């Protein structure tokens, strides 16, 4: 039995024991499946009922299965225009690869087919010959924790600032992140342009110091009063004050782009500076106006980057996008894209709670893999060796 057949057999076994019932209005959705080579090789599929979908999963056991966020009159019709678009859920996706995390330097590596060079980290081109490399990306608990934090923040903003946190379902992506589906009537008719506007708000695209919260045009530098503004503006201003009150002189120098002597001044006078910010005044640093403007611009930029959600833009804008069916298996990890009830989301640990195959062990040959955790056990690192895995 080759690897593909073995995996398919395992997937079949899984689907024969676990029914998938995670897609509301299943009759109005388009489905797509993928195999070893591509996550989507076939689209425009349609299932009339939940039992029809499960019959298909038990029989075909696809390595990947996705469904449309959109609702259609005729989901199987093609091209797209003939489907009869009826509206679309809002889907937000976080992936650890988009977060620029330090741990990727530890567990990701690359290999150059051309010259045989290899190394650690998330690298696109070979450091030796410059040609495009094969990337091997892995996921650790830090990655998953970071995507979870992003999701928790998104939930808060959707609920408190945008008022669209209704009929929501969250699931693990099966690999390196989380998906959130909003299925309320309210969001279904939203156009791509309206969805883009929402994404821009969430990612703080177009948020700049002067366009949003500051005025550097007069002698006195001003900012919006934190208590007088709401939403993203208030979050950025609060983040700035928090940073000033907690940062060391070194951090103030690094993020503010100023000399250490000036950073020490800010540090010593932080209480006074914050007090002025609350009154809408950005205090002068010793020296020229230009130095102060640069400092405040950098600080606003830093606070903005902390507040901006690093979500996948394309997923939330494209109304015809198909996304992983919750509670199905992910073909490259074998993990379940498990639905997580909101009340359990904080405690959810994918590498423990989304493991589909755990009882029988198999021997595999591993070229290279970093340390990782699966179920309650830790494994690796491995390099060109045989290992026994669950
Ligand atoms: Zn090379
Ligand atoms: Zn990581």
């Amino acid at each position: 039995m080759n690897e593909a057949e073995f995996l398919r057999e395992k997937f079949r076994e899984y689907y024969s024991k676990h029914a998938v019932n995670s897609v509301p209005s299943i009759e109005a959705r388009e489905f797509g499946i993928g195999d070893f080579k591509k996550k989507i090789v076939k689209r425009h599929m349609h299932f009339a009922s939940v039992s029809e979908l499960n019959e298909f999963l038990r029989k075909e056991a696809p390595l990947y299965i996705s469904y449309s966020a959109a609702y259609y009159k005729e989901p199987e019709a093609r091209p797209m225009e003939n489907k009869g678009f009826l509206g679309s859920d809002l889907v937000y996706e976080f992936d650890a690869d988009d977060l620029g995390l330090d741990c990727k330097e530890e567990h990701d590596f690359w290999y150059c087919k051309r010259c045989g060079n290899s190394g650690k980290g998330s690298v696109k081109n070979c450091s030796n010959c410059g040609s495009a490399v094969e990337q091997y990306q892995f996921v650790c608990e830090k990655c998953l924790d970071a995507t979870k934090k992003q999701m928790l923040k998104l939930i808060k903003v959707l609920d408190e600032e945008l008022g669209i946190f209704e009929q929501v379902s969250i699931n693990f992506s099966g690999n390196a992140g989380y998906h959130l589906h909003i299925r309320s009537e309210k969001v279904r008719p939203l156009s791509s342009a309206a969805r883009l506007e929402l994404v821009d708000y969430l990612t703080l695209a177009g948020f700049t110091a002067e366009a949003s919260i500051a005025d550097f045009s007069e002698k006195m530098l001003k900012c919006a009063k934190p208590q007088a503004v709401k939403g993203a503006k208030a979050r950025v201003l609060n983040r700035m004050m928090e940073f000033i009150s907690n940062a060391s002189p070194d951090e103030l120098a690094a993020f503010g782009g100023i000399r250490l002597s000036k950073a020490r001044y800010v540090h010593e006078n932080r209480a006074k500076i914050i007090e002025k910010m609350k009154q809408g005044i950005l205090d002068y640093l010793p020296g020229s106006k230009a130095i102060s403007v640069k400092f405040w611009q950098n600080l606003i930029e830093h606070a903005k980057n902390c507040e901006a959600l690093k979500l996948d833009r394309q997923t939330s804008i494209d109304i015809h996008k198909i996304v992983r069916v919750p509670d199905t298996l992910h073909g490259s990890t074998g993990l379940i894209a498990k639905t997580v009830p909101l009340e359990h989301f904080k405690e959810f640990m994918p590498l423990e709670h989304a493991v589909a195959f755990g009882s029988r062990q198999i021997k595999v040959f591993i070229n290279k893999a970093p340390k990782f955790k699966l179920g309650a056990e830790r494994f690796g690192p491995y390099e060109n060796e045989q290992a026994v895995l669950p």
Side-chain angles (χ1 to χ4, degrees):
M1 201 191 286
N2 68 26
E3 198 188 346
E5 285 166 34
F6 173 77
L7 212 57
R8 190 139 282 170
E9 202 42 56
K10 295 293 283 179
F11 275 36
R12 219 170 259 137
E13 203 181 300
Y14 176 83
Y15 287 124
S16 69
K17 289 183 199 137
H18 302 87
V20 174
N21 185 10
S22 59
V23 181
S25 311
I26 196 166
E27 68 290 345
R29 311 281 190 167
E30 177 203 352
F31 283 78
I33 54 169
D35 62 17
F36 256 114
K37 283 170 237 108
K38 265 177 89 183
K39 286 184 181 160
I40 298 169
V41 287
K42 190 176 171 196
R43 284 188 68 157
H44 311 290
M45 297 167 70
H46 170 240
F47 298 103
S49 65
V50 172
S51 60
E52 208 175 274
L53 168 69
N54 280 285
E55 203 176 305
F56 175 83
L57 291 173
R58 285 193 294 270
K59 210 165 137 229
E60 302 294 331
L63 290 189
Y64 302 92
I65 181 159
S66 303
Y67 81 107
S68 63
Y71 305 76
Y72 301 106
K73 256 186 234 139
E74 291 176 54
E76 71 274 50
R78 47 204 305 197
M80 232 58 205
E81 305 83 77
N82 292 342
K83 289 189 192 300
F85 180 76
L86 299 169
S88 178
D89 298 335
L90 252 184
V91 181
Y92 292 110
E93 172 179 358
F94 290 108
D95 191 296
D97 291 342
D98 301 329
L99 303 184
L101 300 166
D102 293 341
C103 56
K104 295 193 74 65
E105 294 301 314
E106 279 295 310
H107 54 61
D108 284 6
F109 66 94
W110 54 272
Y111 172 74
C112 175
K113 266 188 177 167
R114 192 156 158 229
C115 74
N117 196 12
S118 67
K120 274 189 168 187
S122 217
V123 169
K124 285 203 172 70
N125 293 90
C126 175
S127 57
N128 184 35
C129 72
S131 54
V133 297
E134 303 250 313
Q135 285 183 296
Y136 299 89
Q137 297 181 315
F138 292 86
V139 182
C140 73
E141 282 165 276
K142 271 187 211 154
C143 291
L144 293 166
D145 203 48
T147 51
K148 184 191 274 182
K149 284 204 179 102
Q150 287 278 307
M151 184 58 89
L152 287 167
K153 193 161 179 175
L154 172 68
I155 291 170
K156 203 157 179 270
V157 176
L158 290 172
D159 187 26
E160 293 173 8
E161 294 175 22
L162 296 170
I164 52 172
F165 194 71
E166 289 163 15
Q167 286 180 261
V168 169
S169 175
I170 299 173
N171 65 282
F172 174 52
S173 71
N175 184 20
Y178 292 96
H179 296 174
L180 180 138
H181 308 248
I182 304 178
R183 297 183 176 129
S184 69
E185 296 280 350
K186 212 169 171 178
V187 303
R188 277 188 212 176
L190 292 177
S191 64
S192 284
R195 288 162 202 261
L196 179 62
E197 214 174 291
L198 285 170
V199 170
D200 281 346
Y201 180 82
L202 295 167
T203 58
L204 295 182
F207 189 107
T208 64
E210 283 171 279
S212 308
I213 49 170
D215 181 359
F216 301 138
S217 64
E218 288 168 46
K219 195 155 181 287
M220 187 188 275
L221 308 181
K222 289 186 223 151
C223 67
K225 287 183 192 164
Q227 67 277 22
V229 288
K230 282 191 215 144
K233 291 180 183 181
R235 270 189 284 130
V236 171
L237 287 162
N238 287 326
R239 175 73 75 153
M240 284 167 70
M241 293 192 286
E242 195 188 303
F243 181 73
I244 293 169
S245 74
N246 297 326
S248 66
D250 282 338
E251 287 168 324
L252 285 164
F255 290 102
I258 50 173
R259 284 167 189 272
L260 195 55
S261 58
K262 298 218 188 306
R264 285 208 188 93
Y265 168 86
V266 175
H267 187 67
E268 277 157 25
N269 293 282
R270 57 191 188 277
K272 197 185 98 206
I273 290 172
I274 290 168
E275 211 35 61
K276 282 208 179 160
M277 264 191 83
K278 287 182 183 161
Q279 296 159 28
I281 299 162
L282 298 175
D283 206 8
Y284 260 62
L285 275 50
S288 69
K289 179 182 172 183
I291 291 172
S292 300
V293 169
K294 192 179 83 177
F295 170 74
W296 287 111
Q297 259 165 347
N298 288 337
L299 218 60
I300 291 170
E301 191 61 23
H302 170 61
K304 174 196 127 174
N305 289 337
C306 295
E307 284 302 318
L309 288 159
K310 278 102 191 149
L311 48 84
D312 183 279
R313 292 177 67 86
Q314 202 47 40
T315 302
S316 8
I317 299 166
D318 183 357
I319 50 174
H320 296 301
K321 175 114 177 160
I322 58 175
V323 291
R324 179 113 26 261
V325 176
D327 300 327
T328 60
L329 297 170
H330 188 288
S332 45
T333 61
L335 294 172
I336 312 161
K338 203 164 184 167
T339 301
V340 190
L342 194 56
E343 63 272 27
H344 296 145
F345 182 62
K346 273 191 188 153
E347 299 84 53
F348 182 74
M349 306 277 284
L351 302 182
E352 277 176 37
H353 303 137
V355 178
F357 312 108
S359 49
R360 242 181 6 201
Q361 297 189 320
I362 51 160
K363 264 188 193 169
V364 289
F365 185 81
I366 303 172
N367 278 335
K368 204 167 180 177
K371 275 186 293 199
F372 62 94
K373 199 177 152 189
L374 198 61
E377 281 179 84
R378 284 174 194 279
F379 300 91
Y382 300 108
E383 194 159 351
N384 295 322
E385 60 188 292
Q386 198 158 323
V388 178
L389 295 180

